[in-house]
Amino acid sequence: MAQQEDQFKRVISHAKEYGYIFQSSEIYDGLSAVYDYAQNGVELKKNIRDYWWKAMVQMHENIVGLDASILMHPTTWKASGHVDAFNDPLIDNKDSKKRYRADVLIEDYCAKIEAKITKEIAKASKRFGETFDKEQYVATNPRVIGYQEKINMIVSRMARALELEDLADVKLLIEELGIADPLTGSKNWTDVKQFNLMFGTQLGASADNSMEVYLRPETAQGIFVNFLNVQKTGRMKIPFGIAQTGKAFRNEIVARQFIFRMREFEQMEMQFFVKPGTQKKWYEHWKEKRLQWHLSLGLGKENYRFHDHDKLAHYADAAADIEFRFPFGFKELEGIHSRTDFDLKAHEEYSGKKLHYFDHEENKNYTPYVVETSIGLDRMFLAVFSNSLVEESLENNTKRTVLKLPAVLAPTKAAILPLVKKDGLPEIAREIVEDLKWDFPIFYDEKDAVGKRYRRQDAVGTPFCITVDHDTIEDQTVTIRHRDSMKQERVLISDLKEIIKKEVGFKSWLMKI
Ligand code: GAP
């Protein structure tokens, strides 16, 4: 646990020190759960967004993009259910005055029981060695069965209470389990209350004419209200998708864990419109496809898992999260939701406009069903960044900090380094920069000894360092150093473009899907 916390602290301070993420309005002591992306962060974020856009939009003939506005007609949020149901169940601790999400307190309690199961399994695996059969052990060991039954009981009771809006029972469950304030240990709780997460603002200048609007809490509704516009102007045939990336806003109460839970964040969402009755097939399809997209980045298969929802949102008939192993444990990274025809039907009802599709093959009209994939760009950033940051012990008893970002996402692809600041080497290095910068983001550095410059690029995540030395003048070759292996090769300047392209181009990465 302490090790996880240390790694998380390292991630946060590295993100600041190397120009990835700053706290918003830092000179005024910051604004809670709001962050700014710095010179390297903005490039990494853009590359993640582009990688998603390439895979989801440009690689699919039947998926198109959209950029809907953040402000929408307020009835949108009535129809979507956000005005009435976009709430978190909150509970305050009377002693510490701290506010918590009641469901998160209960989930954290279950996570502790789950940790006990993991510990039992690890102990047994050590005891039985190679003959250990995990599945059989989990199915038969009385202690593990007891723990699992307790988790199931808690989760289903919480799901039922939330479903029925029985907030008194949620409080009772917290009390019965003896859950204490994680910061102070106090068990002196208030009642559980619902709190709406949307930010409201005024549209229009005068008090008489102004209209209360909301900053969108998800990008999805911009897609639903444009469904017919896109379908007709793009002559789209079902099944087809509409994708967009953009800011979303939520007045999160428990806004902790750096950029994991923010009040202003960015989503990358795709709504896939399908024939009613085929949603299950497409739901499974997109679950698999999205996992493959994640795996293509090489962050390690063992760092992902699916979590199927017990408690479904008001619009869904199936839902799952792709969870990632963040420095603070497995948490939701992306959601895949089978949203039925809830949204289109609701917008029809509230707007009075038909949102039907005429299926020529079936010769009939229907309201399409929707399967959604929804990922937080900032969360994806945190997954990539935290997974890539490593401390390595080297053979000569020194250490290096290296940010092993997937090369396709790295902000700068290569640093060009003249060995010394004289003898015409900077001029040759500058010529290489001038040539390569048309194709890749390139960095030039001539300060300090070359070893120190390598370390700086390792820490910032640059996949290649290219050093110009005195031999370059004679034979037009340079040394190319690979960040992860630290291997160095001598190559012709004229081959650089191809070598870099092979490692950083979208194609070689996305081909793995
Ligand atoms: N349109 C469906 C929707 O918005 P969601 O599960 O509420 O579903 C989707 O959000 C994704 O957006 C999450 O999986 C997460 O990655 C990201 N997300 C949600 N709230 C966030 C927050 N406060 N800060 C950062 N990312 C967030």
Side-chain angles (χ1 to χ4, degrees), residues 13-79:
S13 67
H14 196 88
K16 178 166 185 200
E17 191 180 341
Y18 287 90
Y20 277 88
I21 295 174
F22 301 147
Q23 201 182 9
S24 158
S25 341
E26 196 188 80
I27 59 168
Y28 295 105
D29 297 330
L31 188 63
S32 153
V34 188
Y35 291 90
D36 297 339
Y37 286 85
Q39 65 275 19
N40 288 315
V42 69
E43 297 286 344
L44 173 57
K45 193 175 173 199
K46 179 181 176 300
N47 292 343
I48 297 173
R49 192 191 296 112
D50 289 350
Y51 193 68
W52 183 88
W53 192 261
K54 185 84 207 165
M56 296 298 282
V57 181
Q58 296 175 347
M59 296 305 290
H60 289 97
E61 280 177 21
N62 61 346
I63 301 181
V64 292
L66 179 76
D67 184 13
S69 34
I70 287 171
L71 299 177
M72 299 180 69
H73 193 284
T75 310
T76 308
W77 306 111
K78 197 77 199 141

Side-chain angles (χ1 to χ4, degrees), residues 257-400:
Q257 295 166 324
F258 195 35
I259 56 168
F260 180 81
R261 198 179 301 285
M262 299 156 89
R263 296 203 163 103
E264 175 181 341
F265 59 101
E266 194 165 336
Q267 289 185 315
M268 307 192 286
E269 299 200 298
M270 194 276 296
Q271 312 295 322
F272 200 68
F273 299 90
V274 305
K275 198 162 100 183
T278 64
Q279 70 271 22
K280 181 92 183 109
K281 177 184 95 182
W282 286 111
Y283 170 69
E284 295 301 337
H285 170 88
W286 283 111
K287 263 177 85 171
E288 184 53 31
K289 270 266 181 193
R290 291 304 303 147
L291 183 65
Q292 290 306 324
W293 181 84
H294 286 283
L295 295 181
S296 73
L297 287 169
L299 304 185
K301 201 169 177 206
E302 67 287 0
N303 292 320
Y304 298 88
R305 69 181 188 196
F306 279 115
H307 166 72
D308 295 312
H309 286 207
D310 299 309
K311 177 183 178 264
L312 292 173
H314 58 279
Y315 50 73
D317 70 1
D321 297 334
I322 295 177
E323 293 189 337
F324 184 76
R325 198 199 299 266
F326 287 98
F328 36 83
F330 270 103
K331 294 272 179 214
E332 174 186 346
L333 170 59
E334 168 157 9
I336 293 105
H337 312 125
S338 174
R339 294 182 75 125
T340 67
D341 55 1
F342 173 86
D343 302 88
L344 290 181
K345 281 248 170 82
H347 287 304
E348 270 190 346
E349 188 189 328
Y350 278 82
S351 67
K353 311 268 165 33
K354 282 216 169 348
L355 296 175
H356 283 180
Y357 171 79
F358 184 73
D359 190 323
H360 287 275
E361 278 167 24
E362 303 262 323
N363 201 25
K364 67 174 188 196
N365 267 307
Y366 55 75
T367 308
Y369 270 46
V370 173
V371 174
E372 161 186 78
T373 71
S374 174
I375 174 168
L377 175 49
D378 313 85
R379 239 175 238 194
M380 185 62 198
F381 185 112
L382 182 59
V384 170
F385 193 89
S386 58
N387 184 276
S388 303
L389 183 63
V390 286
E391 287 259 326
E392 274 183 0
S393 301
L394 303 177
E395 279 166 9
N396 57 359
N397 275 338
T398 58
K399 282 196 168 153
R400 73 161 181 157

Side-chain angles (χ1 to χ4, degrees), residues 4-225:
Q4 281 187 345
E5 274 170 27
D6 284 352
Q7 167 66 359
F8 193 35
K9 279 189 196 145
R10 260 199 300 277
V11 165
I12 298 170
S13 67
H14 196 88
K16 178 166 185 200
E17 191 180 341
Y18 287 90
Y20 277 88
I21 295 174
F22 301 147
Q23 201 182 9
S24 158
S25 341
E26 196 188 80
I27 59 168
Y28 295 105
D29 297 330
L31 188 63
S32 153
V34 188
Y35 291 90
D36 297 339
Y37 286 85
Q39 65 275 19
N40 288 315
V42 69
E43 297 286 344
L44 173 57
K45 193 175 173 199
K46 179 181 176 300
N47 292 343
I48 297 173
R49 192 191 296 112
D50 289 350
Y51 193 68
W52 183 88
W53 192 261
K54 185 84 207 165
M56 296 298 282
V57 181
Q58 296 175 347
M59 296 305 290
H60 289 97
E61 280 177 21
N62 61 346
I63 301 181
V64 292
L66 179 76
D67 184 13
S69 34
I70 287 171
L71 299 177
M72 299 180 69
H73 193 284
T75 310
T76 308
W77 306 111
K78 197 77 199 141
S80 68
H82 283 82
V83 170
D84 296 322
F86 194 50
N87 300 316
D88 270 351
L90 297 184
I91 190 163
D92 292 292
N93 187 279
K94 289 184 196 164
D95 298 327
S96 69
K97 311 280 181 248
K98 292 273 173 213
R99 179 164 277 189
Y100 297 95
R101 265 178 61 178
D103 56 332
V104 172
L105 284 178
I106 297 169
E107 275 167 13
D108 286 351
Y109 182 88
C110 290
K112 281 191 194 136
I113 308 178
E114 208 159 308
K116 286 185 190 165
I117 297 180
T118 312
K119 218 165 155 187
E120 291 286 342
I121 294 172
K123 266 195 330 211
S125 158
K126 214 165 156 191
R127 203 167 53 241
F128 293 115
E130 294 213 329
T131 59
F132 182 60
D133 180 341
K134 185 175 155 193
E135 257 171 47
Q136 196 198 356
Y137 179 77
V138 170
T140 53
N141 180 276
R143 240 194 325 264
V144 171
I145 292 173
Y147 287 145
Q148 195 53 56
E149 278 175 0
K150 188 164 183 194
I151 294 176
N152 295 347
M153 184 280 288
I154 297 169
V155 169
S156 64
R157 179 160 159 204
M158 178 178 79
R160 200 175 52 242
L162 290 172
E163 195 83 49
L164 299 172
E165 290 273 321
D166 186 354
L167 299 182
D169 196 45
V170 178
K171 182 182 179 189
L172 202 61
L173 183 58
I174 288 176
E175 286 174 340
E176 282 175 18
L177 296 173
I179 295 177
D181 181 332
L183 289 178
T184 64
S186 158
K187 294 180 185 171
N188 193 7
W189 296 109
T190 63
D191 288 342
V192 178
K193 286 194 210 83
Q194 293 287 20
F195 177 86
N196 193 287
L197 299 184
M198 281 197 293
F199 281 104
T201 186
Q202 298 293 321
L203 189 87
S206 82
D208 300 340
N209 295 335
S210 75
M211 182 197 233
E212 169 139 44
V213 293
Y214 298 102
L215 303 186
R216 67 180 176 199
E218 63 171 10
T219 59
Q221 298 304 323
I223 294 179
F224 291 123
V225 300

Side-chain angles (χ1 to χ4, degrees), residues 369-471:
Y369 270 46
V370 173
V371 174
E372 161 186 78
T373 71
S374 174
I375 174 168
L377 175 49
D378 313 85
R379 239 175 238 194
M380 185 62 198
F381 185 112
L382 182 59
V384 170
F385 193 89
S386 58
N387 184 276
S388 303
L389 183 63
V390 286
E391 287 259 326
E392 274 183 0
S393 301
L394 303 177
E395 279 166 9
N396 57 359
N397 275 338
T398 58
K399 282 196 168 153
R400 73 161 181 157
T401 302
V402 50
L403 192 60
K404 294 187 169 180
L405 296 172
V408 66
L409 301 181
T412 303
K413 304 304 183 193
I416 316 296
L417 319 171
L419 187 64
V420 288
K421 257 195 282 183
K422 55 182 185 184
D423 305 334
L425 303 189
E427 287 75 10
I428 301 175
R430 284 281 181 203
E431 270 175 37
I432 297 175
V433 171
E434 285 307 308
D435 183 35
L436 293 182
K437 78 179 186 191
W438 291 93
D439 298 283
F440 316 105
I442 299 293
F443 186 77
Y444 174 83
D445 191 7
E446 59 180 25
K447 273 191 226 100
D448 300 322
V450 77
K452 212 165 171 186
R453 281 180 270 167
Y454 284 159
R455 289 287 177 275
R456 230 170 10 232
Q457 293 308 315
D458 286 347
V460 92
T462 308
F464 298 108
C465 283
I466 292 158
T467 306
V468 175
D469 57 24
H470 293 94
D471 288 346

